[in-house]
């Protein structure tokens, strides 16, 4: 059979409120042309993020009811610990309320002034936590990652010669760890190959630098390895994922992605002394070591989610539906970051709207047109999110690409929802010259994309 179906039945539904174009025009204006300010009930298809937006399975909901809410040593904790140990082989497993809580604990311990943390690409909360500690975050992804049309199969790979050069420049003793984000969210959700993780490990070993994974999307990365890396086709995804973890000294995980839950996180490590210090910080701000910042029911949902996510029928459907969206957009002539990655399709809004200069925010303008036309919400990753004025030099900061990210929540939308998105984008593309630019009328000094207000340029 050519048709790949969603490998689940739907038992509980949440209605989508259909809106008219006139209603959406009024809603968009009330939201000052910023989709973050649109109430979710007014959105038809919400592609803002894949984080914390998964639909849970009946087994996860059943686990929620079985959750043991004892303060210390709850049954749910032992279940969660067993599942995570089987999956990762890590001796120290710390539950946290979400990914950035794991990052905060880790970098408070290993970061600090004068330290340098290399990664393929730091996710924005990771970078913020590294920098908050006083350390410097350095992105060393391979150069192919910056070429939207380059179909390199592992555009998330870390550039090992640049890692060697950084070590030679700053000295290994200033590098507390090296990080690999799988898949590389800030770089188009692109996977990292096993060969690359092994190569980074070898460099780290030569210089006695620990290697950590940011493993939010470990299962999607492992499945893309199975699909794309020579010699990996006949291995179970669980084994590939285990090899990824075996190559690392620790990991931070936001369970809101491949944990298939709405809240939760994990911090993993092998080093006993570091784990003892991390547990002390965990107790200080998250909670006792057997629950982190979570309820027992959340631990049960995570334990089940981390097993379900390795079901290869699920992963096949998941990666295929993201690729399906990407392939149909390409067939309609819409430029995207190629090849499609794990959790999202990134539309090259700068190429869709060549008539709009970066100061008129082509990505944000495309977002507004998508909402107006079809009630679809997505996120801009371009001059609104990363642009602005350099506080030291006063110069305008321009990101390399103006992108719109269409992130696909897990198990939430069916193929007809995706077909609707494809049709809407095709219609918008046909009249792209009419997309109007925007100017900022009000913006906070940091993280302006969340709350900035815009108006249309005449
Ligand atoms: C790669 C990556 N790391 C870390 C995080 C932070 O996780 P959380 O939102 O659970 O704090 C995210 C969230 O999107 C992410 O994509």
């Amino acid at each position: 059979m050519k048709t790949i179906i969603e490998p689940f039945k739907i038992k509980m539904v949440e209605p989508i409120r259909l809106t008219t174009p006139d209603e959406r025009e009024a809603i968009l204006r009330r939201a000052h042309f910023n989709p973050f300010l649109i109430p979710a009930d007014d959105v038809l298809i919400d592609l803002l993020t894949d984080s914390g937006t998964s639909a849970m399975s009946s087994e996860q909901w059943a686990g929620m009811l079985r959750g043991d809410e004892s303060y210390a040593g709850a049954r749910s904790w032992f279940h969660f610990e067993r599942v995570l140990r089987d999956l990762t082989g890590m001796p120290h497993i710390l539950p946290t309320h979400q990914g950035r809580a794991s990052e905060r604990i880790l970098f408070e311990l290993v970061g600090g002034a004068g330290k340098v943390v290399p990664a393929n690409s730091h996710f924005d909360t990771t970078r913020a936590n590294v920098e908050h500690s006083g350390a410097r975050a350095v992105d060393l992804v391979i150069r192919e990652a910056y070429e939207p049309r380059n179909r390199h199969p592992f555009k998330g790979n870390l550039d090992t010669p640049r890692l060697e050069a950084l070590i030679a420049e700053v000295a290994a003793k200033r590098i507390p760890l090296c990080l690999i984000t799988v898949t590389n969210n800030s770089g188009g959700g692109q996977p990292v190959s096993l060969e690359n993780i092994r190569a980074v490990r070898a460099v780290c070993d030569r210089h006695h630098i620990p290697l950590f994974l940011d493993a939010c999307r470990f299962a999607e990365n492992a499945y893309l390895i199975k699909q794309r890396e020579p010699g990996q086709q006949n291995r179970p995804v669980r084994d590939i994922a285990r090899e990824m973890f075996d190559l690392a000294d620790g990991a931070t995980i936001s369970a809101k992605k491949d944990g298939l839950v709405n809240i939760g996180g994990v911090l993993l490590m092998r080093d006993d002394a570091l784990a003892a210090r991390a547990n002390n910080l965990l107790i200080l701000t998250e909670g006792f070591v057997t629950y982190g910042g979570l309820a027992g029911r959340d631990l049960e949902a995570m334990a089940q989610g981390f097993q379900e996510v390795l079901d290869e029928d699920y992963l096949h459907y998941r990666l295929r539906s993201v690729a399906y969206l990407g392939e149909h957009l390409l067939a309609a002539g819409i430029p995207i970051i190629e090849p499609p990655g794990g959790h999202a399709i990134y539309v090259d809004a700068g190429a869709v709207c060549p008539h709009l200069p970066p100061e008129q925010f082509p990505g944000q303008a495309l977002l507004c047109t998508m909402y107006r036309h079809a009630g679809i919400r997505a996120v801009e990753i371009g001059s609104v999110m990363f642009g602005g004025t350099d506080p030291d030099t006063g110069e305008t900061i321009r990101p390399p690409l103006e992108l719109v990210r269409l992130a696909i929540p897990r198990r939430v939308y069916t193929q007809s929802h995706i077909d609707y998105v494809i049709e809407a984008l095709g219609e918008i593309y046909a009249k792209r010259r009419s997309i109007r630019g925007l100017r900022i009328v009000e913006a906070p000094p940091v993280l302006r994309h969340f709350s900035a207000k815009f108006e249309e340029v005449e």
Side-chain angles (χ1 to χ4, degrees):
M1 293 289 297
K2 282 209 303 297
T3 308
I4 293 159
I5 59 167
E6 289 83 4
F8 48 79
K9 293 186 287 184
I10 297 167
K11 182 178 274 182
M12 197 189 288
V13 296
E14 208 181 336
I16 293 175
R17 188 175 87 80
L18 300 181
T19 45
T20 64
D22 284 349
E23 281 178 300
R24 292 198 290 271
E25 184 66 39
I27 292 163
L28 188 63
R29 285 176 187 278
R30 273 204 302 278
H32 304 278
F33 300 96
N34 186 345
F36 275 108
L37 304 179
I38 298 176
D41 275 352
D42 293 332
V43 176
L44 266 74
I45 308 275
D46 204 346
L47 306 183
L48 193 64
T49 177
D50 66 318
S51 176
T53 51
S54 305
M56 292 209 297
S57 67
S58 47
E59 279 306 312
Q60 284 178 292
W61 282 108
M64 298 277 286
L65 289 178
R66 281 195 298 269
D68 175 1
E69 303 303 343
S70 305
Y71 188 95
R75 189 176 59 244
S76 301
W77 153 253
F78 290 112
H79 181 200
F80 169 79
E81 191 193 30
R82 198 167 58 245
V83 168
L84 267 289
R85 179 142 314 125
D86 270 6
L87 175 65
T88 67
M90 293 278 174
H92 299 290
I93 295 162
L94 287 71
T96 61
H97 81 275
Q98 64 184 83
R100 69 198 70 182
S102 305
E103 293 165 356
R104 204 262 312 147
I105 292 171
L106 180 64
F107 291 111
E108 190 170 329
L109 292 175
V110 305
K115 301 276 175 62
V116 179
V117 178
N120 46 352
S121 304
H122 292 81
F123 180 67
D124 57 11
T125 60
T126 323
R127 172 177 294 279
N129 275 295
V130 169
E131 290 174 353
H132 183 69
S133 80
R136 183 157 67 95
V138 181
D139 288 348
L140 298 174
V141 71
I142 55 170
R143 70 177 165 70
E144 287 86 342
Y146 299 105
E147 299 163 4
R149 307 300 164 252
N150 189 323
R151 291 189 72 93
H152 187 295
F154 291 103
K155 283 167 98 171
N157 282 355
L158 193 150
D159 192 330
T160 47
R162 285 174 67 204
L163 177 61
E164 290 276 17
L166 181 79
I167 297 168
E169 182 198 324
V170 304
K173 63 178 187 311
R174 288 178 58 202
I175 303 182
L177 58 84
C178 175
L179 195 65
I180 303 183
T181 311
V182 293
T183 55
N184 196 23
N185 188 8
S186 302
Q190 299 288 324
V192 180
S193 68
L194 263 185
E195 189 188 20
N196 186 251
I197 303 175
R198 289 190 199 116
V200 175
R201 172 86 241 180
V203 175
C204 287
D205 280 348
R206 271 202 299 284
H207 299 278
H208 308 290
I209 297 169
L211 173 63
F212 271 61
L213 300 180
D214 176 344
C216 306
R217 299 180 180 84
F218 72 97
E220 291 173 2
N221 197 93
Y223 195 74
L224 289 165
I225 286 175
K226 178 169 174 138
Q227 282 187 324
R228 297 183 186 175
E229 189 159 344
Q232 300 299 323
Q233 281 63 43
N234 297 323
R235 284 181 80 185
V237 175
R238 176 177 274 278
D239 286 2
I240 298 175
R242 180 57 186 264
E243 185 175 345
M244 288 162 55
F245 284 112
D246 283 349
L247 286 163
D249 296 295
T252 56
I253 303 183
S254 164
K256 297 168 72 176
K257 287 81 171 171
D258 278 351
L260 298 176
V261 289
N262 307 116
I263 195 73
V266 197
L267 176 58
L268 302 165
M269 52 187 68
R270 296 191 194 281
D271 186 292
D272 297 337
L274 186 65
R277 291 167 63 215
N279 273 326
N280 288 337
L281 278 185
L282 186 78
I283 294 172
L284 201 63
T285 58
E286 288 284 298
F288 188 57
V289 295
T290 61
Y291 73 86
L294 297 162
R297 55 181 171 270
D298 298 324
L299 294 170
E300 288 288 349
M302 277 164 57
Q304 180 63 25
F306 276 115
Q307 296 181 83
E308 284 177 13
V309 78
L310 289 168
D311 173 356
E312 300 203 14
D313 290 339
Y314 158 75
L315 283 168
H316 186 54
Y317 134 81
R318 165 79 181 156
L319 277 304
R320 185 60 210 136
S321 60
V322 173
Y324 174 90
L325 172 59
E327 284 162 13
H328 280 77
L329 295 184
L330 281 173
I334 301 169
I336 63 166
I337 293 200
E338 296 178 50
H343 66 289
I345 293 296
Y346 295 67
V347 177
D348 187 347
V352 171
C353 306
H355 59 292
L356 298 181
E359 54 274 20
Q360 291 188 19
F361 306 117
Q364 191 78 9
L366 179 58
L367 283 190
C368 291
T369 309
M370 285 165 53
Y371 180 73
R372 220 181 225 138
H373 190 79
I376 300 165
R377 173 158 73 172
V379 72
E380 189 257 18
I381 302 186
S383 285
V384 177
M385 192 180 269
F386 294 122
T389 309
D390 188 309
D392 300 326
T393 63
E395 278 173 24
T396 304
I397 305 165
R398 289 262 175 266
L401 295 168
E402 301 288 343
L403 302 172
V404 162
R405 186 187 75 175
L406 311 173
I408 316 293
R410 294 170 181 77
R411 306 192 294 205
V412 170
Y413 293 118
T414 63
Q415 183 172 343
S416 66
H417 291 115
I418 300 294
D419 284 335
Y420 175 89
V421 174
I422 293 165
E423 185 180 341
L425 274 152
E427 288 177 1
I428 291 168
Y429 191 62
K431 53 170 196 177
R432 58 191 182 281
R433 291 268 159 201
S434 65
I435 297 176
R436 284 167 66 184
L438 297 163
R439 77 166 72 88
I440 290 183
V441 289
E442 205 183 302
V446 286
L447 296 175
R448 63 182 184 174
H449 54 287
F450 287 121
S451 55
K453 297 179 177 168
F454 300 83
E455 66 184 12
E456 283 186 312
V457 174
E458 288 312 316

